[in-house]
Amino acid sequence: MATESRSFLSRISPTQWAALALTVLAVVFVFENRTKVTIEFLLISVQSPMWLILLVMFAVGWIAGVLTMRKRR
């Protein structure tokens, strides 16, 4: 029996490559959006890094989508 030796890179699945690429893009996004911005909503004023504000808005949108999703049978 011949044993095949596969390199480390060939053992990574396409899904893992996509996850790695998205992680790298997320890290680059955070480093490029470190400047503080001021968000005003009604009477509240918040100063925070832009990436954090966008992350919070993404989470709010995701939660709204989950709450309004119809159950499938």
Side-chain angles (χ1 to χ4, degrees):
M1 264 187 205
T3 15
E4 290 184 32
S5 75
R6 293 173 45 186
S7 71
F8 173 74
L9 294 178
S10 67
R11 287 184 276 164
I12 298 176
S13 72
T15 305
Q16 291 171 324
W17 279 115
L20 180 62
L22 289 173
T23 302
V24 168
L25 288 174
V27 169
V28 169
F29 179 80
V30 167
F31 279 112
E32 288 186 356
N33 290 289
R34 290 180 294 151
T35 58
K36 291 198 180 233
V37 294
T38 302
I39 303 295
E40 295 179 14
F41 181 70
L42 299 176
L43 299 175
I44 301 170
S45 181
V46 177
Q47 188 174 14
S48 179
M50 183 181 290
W51 68 266
L52 185 59
I53 298 293
L54 292 172
L55 179 65
V56 169
M57 288 296 99
F58 174 79
V60 167
W62 181 76
I63 291 169
V66 168
L67 292 175
T68 59
M69 205 165 74
R70 292 188 294 159
K71 301 220 179 205
R72 295 182 185 182
R73 289 186 170 188

